[in-house]
Structure formats: structure tokens, C-alpha cells
Amino acid sequence: MPATILALLDYYLPGSKAGGPVRSVQHLVHQLGGDYRFRIVTRDRDAGDHGPYADLHPNTWHPVEGAETLYLPPEQTGFRALRRILRGTPHDVLYLNSLFSPRLTIIPLLLRRLGRVPARPVVLAPRGELHPGALSTGSWYGLLPAGLAKRVPTPKYLKKRLYLAVARAVGLFRGVVWQASTDDERADVLRHLGARADVVVAPDLVAAPPAESGPAAPVKPKAPGELRVLFVSRIAPKKNLHVAAALLGTVQGQVDFDVYGPVDDRRYWEMCQVVLDALPPHVNARYHGALPYDRVRAVLRAHHLLFLPTRGENFGHVVLEALIEGCPVLVSDQTPWRGLEAARAGWDLPLDDPEAFTRALRRCMEMDAAEHEAWRAGAAAYGRGRAAGSGALERNRVLFRRALGVAEAPSPATPARPAARADLT
């Protein structure tokens, strides 16, 4: 009988608005489902929605793509309800997918610390929440294109730092195994949780690349003087949509700027709308909402460039997906995707050098179809190579073996079930 992993996360399938964590757990279930039995506890609605999913019964286990999934209404995410679930659901590992989720991380950790639930190994994935760009002192106005930054402590920042200090003092994380997606995230965990934290670098899993050897042609070949630019992410301060828009306004030529993603911060989105509305006539900016699953590949292939000047990503699913599909990317140097220009796959640039971003945009604007096709091939080769050679699946096996106290000898490879393509917003 395989060991049971009980995963708690705020949002899961069929939701599409919460970004990478949903996809990470989805691919984990698909690719490690032969090794472990997965049971998932999550909310009964998508991020930002006021009503539950249709045709799903709360407090009932549903089969969802290889896992048993329990959907909880808001009133069933308190101490008493979660204690009942944790005590009544047999499991060998408790897998938490946020550091700061009040309901589905902090409450289970408190119940564990107080001895109110069975003592089980805990794996905690902070999902980039300890990255300097996420745990920052900056206001949500962020880094402006002119290099101006307003740096003040925010209430959210202060609350996070206070929580970390109190949690460490009372031993809330005692015995936790931490999942880091990269070596950089491992350093973030050790810096904030102490040098004795047990951290395993286990990269996020992704869907297998398509079988074809190279990217298909975009809907419209690239011509000099025109640029189809794509932004796919949650609309949140960390993602720097306003910076992307302002920088596009400085580039000469016809720009189509398509923005996809759910609004995570309403005040920030209102500020972005002001920036978008003020763009010069040669920039045609359009907001499309969240990107549905079945349109991800087509949308990526129809654009010349993915532009995401994010303040920080521990992984960046959308970046890898764009690369695999042959869409060059322009990102900050605050993601794991580095060395892009040398591979003719895109650019990874420092946020304090807006002129470097402008030069990259101009370079892309000036490309003709032949040159852009070479960069598209470079992007696909880079993305597919990284997806195939990361060793991520075995590192995730090591992660759960560590939690279970099993020796870390390599286990026989388990054939992965085919995974659905991901919505990466």
C-alpha cells in the first residue's frame, strides 16, 4: 500500500486563477501518483470568486485527475473543522503549500504544535514567499521605469516578519522538511528560518513538452517595426505590470500588448489601468482576464515576446512554458531562468537598469521573420532542455522519502500519467 500524502492548499483544480502552486501540485499528482496516494484539501472556489464551483459537493471526497479532493466552504476552514479532517483522514505525510496561508497552513501547524492532531511528518513548500521580491520592504508602487523606488515598510511586510519571528520562537516549524524549488530559494529559507532548517531542493514539476521537435509557426510571422507582446500572470504588485506597460511606451513601432491574468490586488490594478490608458497611440494594450487552459499554447505561439519584469519568482511556470513553446522571454534577473541571451532564448535583466529593458525591446522590435525564427528555435531548445534535464522528478521523490525517514537510494522510475496542459496565470 503506497504512503498517503495529504496536501493542503488554498486553491486547486478546477480553479485556474491562483497560479503556479496549483499546477505544481497537479503535476506532482500526475507524475508521482504511482508512488504515493494523494488526498487534497482545498477551498470550494477559485481565487477571488465569491461563489463555489458548480456541480461539486462540499465536504465530500471527489476524484480529480488522480487524487481524492475535498472541497471546503469558508465556514469549514476553522480550527475545529480542520482538526476533524486531519484526525479523520489517514495520512503519512502532511504537505502544506504556503508559508503564510492563515487557514490551510498556520492552523494545521498550530494544531500540530498543540498536539491536537496526529503527529505526522510535514513538508512545507513556501512557493517563493520568502523571496526578497515577495517579502520586501517596498511599497506596491514598486520600481518605476525611471529607476525611482519608494521604499517603505508596509503593514503586510511587518506582519509577515512578526509571524516568522513568533513562529520560530514557539517552535511552530519544528521538524518540518522544507521544499525549495531552487538553490536560491533554499538560501532564502535558511536565511529566514535558520541554518538548521531541513531543506530539500525539489524543483516544481511541469507537464511534459509536446512531442513535436520544434515550435509551430506563430499566427503571423514577425516583421520589423511591429511587436506582439504578452503578459501572463496574476495582476499583483510583485509582477510589475505597470513597469512593463511604461517601458513599452518608450519603444518606437507598432506594439500589441495583450495582458492575461486574474486581478489579485484591486488597488494595484486601478493604478495599472491609469498607466495603460496613458500609453501612446502606437501601443495597443488589451486586458483579457484569466487565460483558460485550452488556450495557453495557442496564445503563447501567437506572440513574439513574453514580457514579465517580475520582482521575483521561485520558479516561474509561465516562463518555462513560453520557452518550450518557442516564445522568447524578457524577464528580470529575479527568476531561475538565466543565461537567456546567450542561448538566443530571451533576456534576463536587472530591474534597476530600465535602459537594458528598453534596448532588448528595441532589438526585438527590429527583428525580421528569419531572425525572430532563430530566437524562437533557441527558446524552444532552451526550454525543452531544461524541462528534460532538471532531475526534478527524482528530487521530489527524495523530498518525500526524507519526510518519511526512508533512505535516499534512487527508486525505480514510475511511468508518469499524462498531464493536462497548464493554465499559467
Side-chain angles (χ1 to χ4, degrees):
M1 184 73 177
T4 297
I5 297 174
L6 180 61
L8 274 60
L9 64 163
D10 282 303
Y11 306 104
Y12 192 59
L13 302 177
S16 62
K17 300 178 182 178
V22 176
R23 305 305 142 212
S24 297
V25 175
Q26 177 190 16
H27 299 318
L28 191 72
V29 170
H30 278 286
Q31 297 178 50
L32 280 184
D35 297 344
Y36 301 103
R37 178 190 184 193
F38 284 90
R39 308 193 83 179
I40 295 171
V41 176
T42 188
R43 298 175 185 268
D44 69 348
R45 62 203 66 198
D46 205 354
D49 287 356
H50 298 293
Y53 301 116
D55 303 322
L56 286 177
H57 300 288
N59 299 309
T60 301
W61 291 97
H62 296 261
V64 180
E65 295 195 13
E68 300 169 76
T69 305
L70 181 68
Y71 296 92
L72 302 179
E75 64 272 13
Q76 293 296 320
T77 58
F79 277 88
R80 186 174 299 176
L82 288 173
R83 186 183 71 167
R84 185 183 69 251
I85 291 168
L86 293 175
R87 294 180 67 169
T89 306
H91 59 282
D92 300 287
V93 176
L94 181 62
Y95 184 32
L96 306 176
N97 284 271
S98 170
L99 178 57
F100 298 118
S101 170
R103 298 284 181 164
L104 295 183
T105 294
I106 297 177
I107 289 178
L109 287 176
L110 284 170
L111 289 169
R112 170 179 174 265
R113 185 70 182 90
L114 295 171
R116 306 300 297 275
V117 296
R120 296 290 183 269
V122 174
V123 173
L124 198 159
R127 304 295 181 197
E129 292 168 323
L130 292 174
H131 189 284
L135 194 67
S136 72
T137 59
S139 75
W140 54 258
Y141 289 97
L143 180 66
L144 298 175
L148 301 176
K150 183 180 180 182
R151 297 283 175 181
V152 294
T154 62
K156 183 178 290 188
Y157 163 79
L158 295 174
K159 285 195 295 184
K160 288 178 178 179
R161 295 305 297 262
L162 178 61
Y163 164 65
L164 290 176
V166 172
R168 288 187 63 184
V170 301
L172 200 62
F173 304 131
R174 190 173 300 158
V176 167
V177 177
W178 297 84
Q179 178 186 10
S181 293
T182 63
D183 289 332
D184 287 342
E185 185 169 35
R186 179 179 185 275
D188 292 337
V189 173
L190 294 176
R191 180 168 56 253
H192 290 286
L193 280 307
R196 298 179 65 182
D198 187 2
V199 189
V200 176
V201 178
D204 291 6
L205 298 177
V206 298
E212 60 264 30
S213 59
V219 173
K220 182 180 178 182
K222 176 75 174 66
E226 65 176 31
L227 189 60
R228 297 198 65 186
V229 181
L230 179 65
F231 179 98
V232 184
S233 189
R234 293 178 295 111
I235 310 299
K238 172 184 168 184
K239 307 298 184 176
N240 269 344
L241 171 59
H242 69 292
V243 172
L247 286 168
L248 286 170
T250 68
V251 179
Q252 297 301 312
Q254 181 59 44
V255 177
D256 287 328
F257 185 36
D258 292 308
V259 177
Y260 289 87
V263 175
D264 196 48
D265 185 316
R266 180 60 57 181
R267 287 185 59 213
Y268 176 71
W269 171 232
E270 291 171 355
M271 189 197 79
C272 288
Q273 287 178 299
V274 172
V275 178
L276 292 168
D277 291 342
L279 288 171
H282 70 272
V283 181
N284 179 25
R286 296 168 298 218
Y287 174 60
H288 302 277
L291 183 57
Y293 296 165
D294 57 356
R295 295 191 57 210
V296 173
R297 293 180 64 191
V299 167
L300 287 168
R301 292 182 173 196
H303 287 81
H304 303 134
L305 183 72
L306 174 75
F307 189 12
L308 187 64
T310 174
R311 294 190 205 172
E313 303 293 327
N314 71 310
F315 187 76
H317 285 263
V318 68
V319 178
L320 179 57
E321 188 75 6
L323 291 165
I324 288 173
E325 298 299 336
C327 179
V329 301
L330 173 56
V331 297
S332 74
D333 61 359
Q334 301 300 305
T335 83
W337 310 107
R338 309 299 297 275
L340 295 172
E341 186 172 8
R344 303 187 81 180
W347 297 265
D348 46 281
L349 304 173
L351 285 171
D352 60 0
D353 189 0
E355 182 55 36
F357 282 88
T358 300
R359 288 194 299 269
L361 289 168
R362 288 173 182 161
R363 172 78 187 279
C364 208
M365 175 68 77
E366 293 166 0
M367 289 183 185
D368 60 16
E371 184 180 7
H372 189 260
E373 184 63 27
W375 281 74
R376 294 183 64 250
Y382 179 101
R384 290 163 189 262
R386 287 289 296 270
S390 68
L393 184 57
E394 183 56 30
R395 294 304 304 168
N396 277 270
R397 287 194 178 100
V398 169
L399 170 71
F400 290 107
R401 285 200 298 267
R402 174 80 64 84
L404 288 164
V406 178
E408 295 183 8
S411 64
T414 300
R417 289 192 287 264
R421 299 295 294 180
D423 171 18
L424 300 165
T425 56

PDB file of all heavy atoms in Angstrom, residues 182-214:
ATOM      1  N   THR A 182      14.525  25.949  -5.944  1.00  0.00           N
ATOM      2  CA  THR A 182      15.845  26.226  -6.494  1.00  0.00           C
ATOM      3  C   THR A 182      16.847  26.382  -5.356  1.00  0.00           C
ATOM      4  O   THR A 182      16.470  26.500  -4.181  1.00  0.00           O
ATOM      5  CB  THR A 182      15.832  27.534  -7.312  1.00  0.00           C
ATOM      6  OG1 THR A 182      15.518  28.625  -6.424  1.00  0.00           O
ATOM      7  CG2 THR A 182      14.809  27.489  -8.439  1.00  0.00           C
ATOM      8  N   ASP A 183      18.123  26.432  -5.712  1.00  0.00           N
ATOM      9  CA  ASP A 183      19.153  26.701  -4.702  1.00  0.00           C
ATOM     10  C   ASP A 183      18.964  28.080  -4.087  1.00  0.00           C
ATOM     11  O   ASP A 183      19.228  28.279  -2.889  1.00  0.00           O
ATOM     12  CB  ASP A 183      20.545  26.607  -5.336  1.00  0.00           C
ATOM     13  CG  ASP A 183      20.931  25.169  -5.677  1.00  0.00           C
ATOM     14  OD1 ASP A 183      20.444  24.244  -4.992  1.00  0.00           O
ATOM     15  OD2 ASP A 183      21.686  24.977  -6.636  1.00  0.00           O
ATOM     16  N   ASP A 184      18.506  29.048  -4.888  1.00  0.00           N
ATOM     17  CA  ASP A 184      18.258  30.387  -4.352  1.00  0.00           C
ATOM     18  C   ASP A 184      17.151  30.356  -3.298  1.00  0.00           C
ATOM     19  O   ASP A 184      17.245  31.033  -2.267  1.00  0.00           O
ATOM     20  CB  ASP A 184      17.884  31.355  -5.480  1.00  0.00           C
ATOM     21  CG  ASP A 184      19.076  31.728  -6.343  1.00  0.00           C
ATOM     22  OD1 ASP A 184      20.219  31.527  -5.892  1.00  0.00           O
ATOM     23  OD2 ASP A 184      18.859  32.214  -7.469  1.00  0.00           O
ATOM     24  N   GLU A 185      16.099  29.589  -3.557  1.00  0.00           N
ATOM     25  CA  GLU A 185      15.026  29.521  -2.565  1.00  0.00           C
ATOM     26  C   GLU A 185      15.513  28.801  -1.310  1.00  0.00           C
ATOM     27  O   GLU A 185      15.105  29.140  -0.195  1.00  0.00           O
ATOM     28  CB  GLU A 185      13.789  28.829  -3.134  1.00  0.00           C
ATOM     29  CG  GLU A 185      12.628  28.870  -2.138  1.00  0.00           C
ATOM     30  CD  GLU A 185      11.298  28.448  -2.719  1.00  0.00           C
ATOM     31  OE1 GLU A 185      11.277  27.545  -3.581  1.00  0.00           O
ATOM     32  OE2 GLU A 185      10.273  29.003  -2.292  1.00  0.00           O
ATOM     33  N   ARG A 186      16.375  27.801  -1.471  1.00  0.00           N
ATOM     34  CA  ARG A 186      16.956  27.159  -0.303  1.00  0.00           C
ATOM     35  C   ARG A 186      17.696  28.181   0.561  1.00  0.00           C
ATOM     36  O   ARG A 186      17.561  28.195   1.796  1.00  0.00           O
ATOM     37  CB  ARG A 186      17.926  26.049  -0.728  1.00  0.00           C
ATOM     38  CG  ARG A 186      18.597  25.333   0.440  1.00  0.00           C
ATOM     39  CD  ARG A 186      19.525  24.225  -0.042  1.00  0.00           C
ATOM     40  NE  ARG A 186      20.072  23.483   1.086  1.00  0.00           N
ATOM     41  CZ  ARG A 186      21.162  23.851   1.761  1.00  0.00           C
ATOM     42  NH1 ARG A 186      21.832  24.946   1.403  1.00  0.00           N
ATOM     43  NH2 ARG A 186      21.587  23.134   2.791  1.00  0.00           N
ATOM     44  N   ALA A 187      18.451  29.081  -0.081  1.00  0.00           N
ATOM     45  CA  ALA A 187      19.156  30.126   0.660  1.00  0.00           C
ATOM     46  C   ALA A 187      18.171  31.058   1.357  1.00  0.00           C
ATOM     47  O   ALA A 187      18.419  31.501   2.489  1.00  0.00           O
ATOM     48  CB  ALA A 187      20.066  30.912  -0.288  1.00  0.00           C
ATOM     49  N   ASP A 188      17.038  31.354   0.707  1.00  0.00           N
ATOM     50  CA  ASP A 188      16.020  32.201   1.338  1.00  0.00           C
ATOM     51  C   ASP A 188      15.468  31.539   2.601  1.00  0.00           C
ATOM     52  O   ASP A 188      15.279  32.195   3.631  1.00  0.00           O
ATOM     53  CB  ASP A 188      14.875  32.467   0.351  1.00  0.00           C
ATOM     54  CG  ASP A 188      15.279  33.346  -0.818  1.00  0.00           C
ATOM     55  OD1 ASP A 188      16.256  34.102  -0.678  1.00  0.00           O
ATOM     56  OD2 ASP A 188      14.622  33.257  -1.874  1.00  0.00           O
ATOM     57  N   VAL A 189      15.180  30.233   2.514  1.00  0.00           N
ATOM     58  CA  VAL A 189      14.644  29.520   3.676  1.00  0.00           C
ATOM     59  C   VAL A 189      15.651  29.535   4.817  1.00  0.00           C
ATOM     60  O   VAL A 189      15.310  29.829   5.975  1.00  0.00           O
ATOM     61  CB  VAL A 189      14.272  28.075   3.296  1.00  0.00           C
ATOM     62  CG1 VAL A 189      13.876  27.286   4.553  1.00  0.00           C
ATOM     63  CG2 VAL A 189      13.129  28.062   2.291  1.00  0.00           C
ATOM     64  N   LEU A 190      16.910  29.234   4.521  1.00  0.00           N
ATOM     65  CA  LEU A 190      17.928  29.206   5.570  1.00  0.00           C
ATOM     66  C   LEU A 190      18.137  30.585   6.188  1.00  0.00           C
ATOM     67  O   LEU A 190      18.368  30.709   7.394  1.00  0.00           O
ATOM     68  CB  LEU A 190      19.243  28.683   4.993  1.00  0.00           C
ATOM     69  CG  LEU A 190      19.233  27.220   4.530  1.00  0.00           C
ATOM     70  CD1 LEU A 190      20.561  26.856   3.878  1.00  0.00           C
ATOM     71  CD2 LEU A 190      18.924  26.281   5.684  1.00  0.00           C
ATOM     72  N   ARG A 191      18.027  31.624   5.377  1.00  0.00           N
ATOM     73  CA  ARG A 191      18.228  32.982   5.893  1.00  0.00           C
ATOM     74  C   ARG A 191      17.114  33.367   6.875  1.00  0.00           C
ATOM     75  O   ARG A 191      17.374  34.008   7.895  1.00  0.00           O
ATOM     76  CB  ARG A 191      18.271  33.976   4.724  1.00  0.00           C
ATOM     77  CG  ARG A 191      18.486  35.429   5.169  1.00  0.00           C
ATOM     78  CD  ARG A 191      18.808  36.335   4.005  1.00  0.00           C
ATOM     79  NE  ARG A 191      17.801  36.301   2.960  1.00  0.00           N
ATOM     80  CZ  ARG A 191      17.963  35.721   1.779  1.00  0.00           C
ATOM     81  NH1 ARG A 191      19.091  35.098   1.499  1.00  0.00           N
ATOM     82  NH2 ARG A 191      17.010  35.738   0.884  1.00  0.00           N
ATOM     83  N   HIS A 192      15.883  32.976   6.586  1.00  0.00           N
ATOM     84  CA  HIS A 192      14.761  33.401   7.422  1.00  0.00           C
ATOM     85  C   HIS A 192      14.386  32.393   8.500  1.00  0.00           C
ATOM     86  O   HIS A 192      13.845  32.779   9.538  1.00  0.00           O
ATOM     87  CB  HIS A 192      13.528  33.673   6.550  1.00  0.00           C
ATOM     88  CG  HIS A 192      13.655  34.887   5.694  1.00  0.00           C
ATOM     89  ND1 HIS A 192      13.565  36.167   6.193  1.00  0.00           N
ATOM     90  CD2 HIS A 192      13.894  35.020   4.370  1.00  0.00           C
ATOM     91  CE1 HIS A 192      13.728  37.041   5.206  1.00  0.00           C
ATOM     92  NE2 HIS A 192      13.932  36.362   4.092  1.00  0.00           N
ATOM     93  N   LEU A 193      14.680  31.105   8.275  1.00  0.00           N
ATOM     94  CA  LEU A 193      14.273  30.080   9.236  1.00  0.00           C
ATOM     95  C   LEU A 193      15.433  29.493  10.016  1.00  0.00           C
ATOM     96  O   LEU A 193      15.229  28.663  10.906  1.00  0.00           O
ATOM     97  CB  LEU A 193      13.521  28.958   8.515  1.00  0.00           C
ATOM     98  CG  LEU A 193      12.037  29.221   8.186  1.00  0.00           C
ATOM     99  CD1 LEU A 193      11.264  29.635   9.421  1.00  0.00           C
ATOM    100  CD2 LEU A 193      11.853  30.203   7.058  1.00  0.00           C
ATOM    101  N   GLY A 194      16.654  29.886   9.699  1.00  0.00           N
ATOM    102  CA  GLY A 194      17.800  29.415  10.458  1.00  0.00           C
ATOM    103  C   GLY A 194      18.596  28.350   9.724  1.00  0.00           C
ATOM    104  O   GLY A 194      18.059  27.585   8.912  1.00  0.00           O
ATOM    105  N   ALA A 195      19.873  28.293  10.024  1.00  0.00           N
ATOM    106  CA  ALA A 195      20.786  27.385   9.324  1.00  0.00           C
ATOM    107  C   ALA A 195      20.475  25.919   9.590  1.00  0.00           C
ATOM    108  O   ALA A 195      20.940  25.045   8.850  1.00  0.00           O
ATOM    109  CB  ALA A 195      22.233  27.699   9.725  1.00  0.00           C
ATOM    110  N   ARG A 196      19.704  25.622  10.619  1.00  0.00           N
ATOM    111  CA  ARG A 196      19.395  24.228  10.947  1.00  0.00           C
ATOM    112  C   ARG A 196      18.134  23.730  10.255  1.00  0.00           C
ATOM    113  O   ARG A 196      17.763  22.567  10.416  1.00  0.00           O
ATOM    114  CB  ARG A 196      19.261  24.074  12.454  1.00  0.00           C
ATOM    115  CG  ARG A 196      20.539  24.414  13.223  1.00  0.00           C
ATOM    116  CD  ARG A 196      20.353  24.268  14.715  1.00  0.00           C
ATOM    117  NE  ARG A 196      20.087  22.872  15.090  1.00  0.00           N
ATOM    118  CZ  ARG A 196      19.850  22.481  16.323  1.00  0.00           C
ATOM    119  NH1 ARG A 196      19.845  23.369  17.317  1.00  0.00           N
ATOM    120  NH2 ARG A 196      19.619  21.218  16.591  1.00  0.00           N
ATOM    121  N   ALA A 197      17.477  24.574   9.480  1.00  0.00           N
ATOM    122  CA  ALA A 197      16.269  24.148   8.774  1.00  0.00           C
ATOM    123  C   ALA A 197      16.606  23.012   7.810  1.00  0.00           C
ATOM    124  O   ALA A 197      17.632  23.032   7.135  1.00  0.00           O
ATOM    125  CB  ALA A 197      15.653  25.327   8.018  1.00  0.00           C
ATOM    126  N   ASP A 198      15.731  22.019   7.741  1.00  0.00           N
ATOM    127  CA  ASP A 198      15.924  20.863   6.865  1.00  0.00           C
ATOM    128  C   ASP A 198      15.303  21.189   5.511  1.00  0.00           C
ATOM    129  O   ASP A 198      14.084  21.150   5.349  1.00  0.00           O
ATOM    130  CB  ASP A 198      15.257  19.633   7.492  1.00  0.00           C
ATOM    131  CG  ASP A 198      15.547  18.354   6.729  1.00  0.00           C
ATOM    132  OD1 ASP A 198      16.292  18.406   5.725  1.00  0.00           O
ATOM    133  OD2 ASP A 198      15.019  17.296   7.123  1.00  0.00           O
ATOM    134  N   VAL A 199      16.142  21.515   4.536  1.00  0.00           N
ATOM    135  CA  VAL A 199      15.670  21.987   3.233  1.00  0.00           C
ATOM    136  C   VAL A 199      16.104  21.013   2.146  1.00  0.00           C
ATOM    137  O   VAL A 199      17.275  20.638   2.066  1.00  0.00           O
ATOM    138  CB  VAL A 199      16.213  23.391   2.905  1.00  0.00           C
ATOM    139  CG1 VAL A 199      15.536  23.940   1.646  1.00  0.00           C
ATOM    140  CG2 VAL A 199      16.021  24.337   4.081  1.00  0.00           C
ATOM    141  N   VAL A 200      15.159  20.614   1.301  1.00  0.00           N
ATOM    142  CA  VAL A 200      15.447  19.771   0.139  1.00  0.00           C
ATOM    143  C   VAL A 200      15.110  20.569  -1.114  1.00  0.00           C
ATOM    144  O   VAL A 200      14.001  21.109  -1.236  1.00  0.00           O
ATOM    145  CB  VAL A 200      14.620  18.467   0.160  1.00  0.00           C
ATOM    146  CG1 VAL A 200      14.856  17.661  -1.115  1.00  0.00           C
ATOM    147  CG2 VAL A 200      14.964  17.642   1.390  1.00  0.00           C
ATOM    148  N   VAL A 201      16.061  20.673  -2.029  1.00  0.00           N
ATOM    149  CA  VAL A 201      15.799  21.341  -3.307  1.00  0.00           C
ATOM    150  C   VAL A 201      15.091  20.340  -4.212  1.00  0.00           C
ATOM    151  O   VAL A 201      15.676  19.353  -4.665  1.00  0.00           O
ATOM    152  CB  VAL A 201      17.095  21.842  -3.963  1.00  0.00           C
ATOM    153  CG1 VAL A 201      16.787  22.477  -5.320  1.00  0.00           C
ATOM    154  CG2 VAL A 201      17.792  22.846  -3.056  1.00  0.00           C
ATOM    155  N   ALA A 202      13.811  20.574  -4.442  1.00  0.00           N
ATOM    156  CA  ALA A 202      12.984  19.711  -5.291  1.00  0.00           C
ATOM    157  C   ALA A 202      12.207  20.617  -6.240  1.00  0.00           C
ATOM    158  O   ALA A 202      11.174  21.164  -5.871  1.00  0.00           O
ATOM    159  CB  ALA A 202      12.033  18.869  -4.443  1.00  0.00           C
ATOM    160  N   PRO A 203      12.707  20.814  -7.455  1.00  0.00           N
ATOM    161  CA  PRO A 203      12.079  21.766  -8.383  1.00  0.00           C
ATOM    162  C   PRO A 203      10.623  21.428  -8.667  1.00  0.00           C
ATOM    163  O   PRO A 203      10.209  20.258  -8.607  1.00  0.00           O
ATOM    164  CB  PRO A 203      12.935  21.634  -9.653  1.00  0.00           C
ATOM    165  CG  PRO A 203      14.244  21.109  -9.177  1.00  0.00           C
ATOM    166  CD  PRO A 203      13.910  20.212  -8.020  1.00  0.00           C
ATOM    167  N   ASP A 204       9.851  22.463  -8.980  1.00  0.00           N
ATOM    168  CA  ASP A 204       8.463  22.257  -9.362  1.00  0.00           C
ATOM    169  C   ASP A 204       8.407  21.376 -10.605  1.00  0.00           C
ATOM    170  O   ASP A 204       9.232  21.504 -11.514  1.00  0.00           O
ATOM    171  CB  ASP A 204       7.786  23.590  -9.670  1.00  0.00           C
ATOM    172  CG  ASP A 204       7.604  24.449  -8.435  1.00  0.00           C
ATOM    173  OD1 ASP A 204       8.097  24.050  -7.373  1.00  0.00           O
ATOM    174  OD2 ASP A 204       6.990  25.520  -8.542  1.00  0.00           O
ATOM    175  N   LEU A 205       7.426  20.492 -10.649  1.00  0.00           N
ATOM    176  CA  LEU A 205       7.241  19.639 -11.815  1.00  0.00           C
ATOM    177  C   LEU A 205       6.364  20.343 -12.840  1.00  0.00           C
ATOM    178  O   LEU A 205       5.503  21.159 -12.489  1.00  0.00           O
ATOM    179  CB  LEU A 205       6.588  18.320 -11.400  1.00  0.00           C
ATOM    180  CG  LEU A 205       7.411  17.462 -10.428  1.00  0.00           C
ATOM    181  CD1 LEU A 205       6.627  16.215 -10.034  1.00  0.00           C
ATOM    182  CD2 LEU A 205       8.749  17.073 -11.031  1.00  0.00           C
ATOM    183  N   VAL A 206       6.604  20.047 -14.092  1.00  0.00           N
ATOM    184  CA  VAL A 206       5.842  20.661 -15.177  1.00  0.00           C
ATOM    185  C   VAL A 206       5.326  19.568 -16.092  1.00  0.00           C
ATOM    186  O   VAL A 206       5.794  18.425 -16.065  1.00  0.00           O
ATOM    187  CB  VAL A 206       6.707  21.657 -15.983  1.00  0.00           C
ATOM    188  CG1 VAL A 206       7.169  22.797 -15.099  1.00  0.00           C
ATOM    189  CG2 VAL A 206       7.908  20.950 -16.615  1.00  0.00           C
ATOM    190  N   ALA A 207       4.358  19.918 -16.927  1.00  0.00           N
ATOM    191  CA  ALA A 207       3.856  18.971 -17.915  1.00  0.00           C
ATOM    192  C   ALA A 207       4.948  18.656 -18.919  1.00  0.00           C
ATOM    193  O   ALA A 207       5.800  19.494 -19.228  1.00  0.00           O
ATOM    194  CB  ALA A 207       2.635  19.553 -18.626  1.00  0.00           C
ATOM    195  N   ALA A 208       4.950  17.438 -19.430  1.00  0.00           N
ATOM    196  CA  ALA A 208       5.935  17.056 -20.427  1.00  0.00           C
ATOM    197  C   ALA A 208       5.771  17.914 -21.674  1.00  0.00           C
ATOM    198  O   ALA A 208       4.642  18.221 -22.079  1.00  0.00           O
ATOM    199  CB  ALA A 208       5.757  15.585 -20.783  1.00  0.00           C
ATOM    200  N   PRO A 209       6.880  18.339 -22.293  1.00  0.00           N
ATOM    201  CA  PRO A 209       6.770  19.128 -23.526  1.00  0.00           C
ATOM    202  C   PRO A 209       6.056  18.341 -24.610  1.00  0.00           C
ATOM    203  O   PRO A 209       6.056  17.106 -24.613  1.00  0.00           O
ATOM    204  CB  PRO A 209       8.239  19.393 -23.912  1.00  0.00           C
ATOM    205  CG  PRO A 209       9.013  19.193 -22.666  1.00  0.00           C
ATOM    206  CD  PRO A 209       8.266  18.144 -21.888  1.00  0.00           C
ATOM    207  N   PRO A 210       5.446  19.035 -25.577  1.00  0.00           N
ATOM    208  CA  PRO A 210       4.803  18.342 -26.696  1.00  0.00           C
ATOM    209  C   PRO A 210       5.809  17.476 -27.445  1.00  0.00           C
ATOM    210  O   PRO A 210       7.013  17.724 -27.418  1.00  0.00           O
ATOM    211  CB  PRO A 210       4.288  19.495 -27.576  1.00  0.00           C
ATOM    212  CG  PRO A 210       4.261  20.688 -26.699  1.00  0.00           C
ATOM    213  CD  PRO A 210       5.326  20.491 -25.666  1.00  0.00           C
ATOM    214  N   ALA A 211       5.314  16.477 -28.153  1.00  0.00           N
ATOM    215  CA  ALA A 211       6.191  15.521 -28.819  1.00  0.00           C
ATOM    216  C   ALA A 211       6.915  16.106 -30.015  1.00  0.00           C
ATOM    217  O   ALA A 211       7.977  15.636 -30.399  1.00  0.00           O
ATOM    218  CB  ALA A 211       5.369  14.305 -29.248  1.00  0.00           C
ATOM    219  N   GLU A 212       6.369  17.146 -30.625  1.00  0.00           N
ATOM    220  CA  GLU A 212       6.992  17.662 -31.829  1.00  0.00           C
ATOM    221  C   GLU A 212       8.379  18.225 -31.520  1.00  0.00           C
ATOM    222  O   GLU A 212       8.653  18.690 -30.432  1.00  0.00           O
ATOM    223  CB  GLU A 212       6.129  18.733 -32.505  1.00  0.00           C
ATOM    224  CG  GLU A 212       5.844  19.963 -31.648  1.00  0.00           C
ATOM    225  CD  GLU A 212       4.513  19.870 -30.950  1.00  0.00           C
ATOM    226  OE1 GLU A 212       4.089  18.752 -30.644  1.00  0.00           O
ATOM    227  OE2 GLU A 212       3.897  20.924 -30.715  1.00  0.00           O
ATOM    228  N   SER A 213       9.247  18.203 -32.506  1.00  0.00           N
ATOM    229  CA  SER A 213      10.648  18.551 -32.291  1.00  0.00           C
ATOM    230  C   SER A 213      10.885  20.038 -32.150  1.00  0.00           C
ATOM    231  O   SER A 213      11.870  20.468 -31.600  1.00  0.00           O
ATOM    232  CB  SER A 213      11.499  18.016 -33.444  1.00  0.00           C
ATOM    233  OG  SER A 213      11.053  18.569 -34.679  1.00  0.00           O
ATOM    234  N   GLY A 214      10.006  20.853 -32.633  1.00  0.00           N
ATOM    235  CA  GLY A 214      10.217  22.289 -32.569  1.00  0.00           C
ATOM    236  C   GLY A 214       8.901  23.030 -32.513  1.00  0.00           C
ATOM    237  O   GLY A 214       7.837  22.444 -32.700  1.00  0.00           O
TER     238      GLY A 214
END
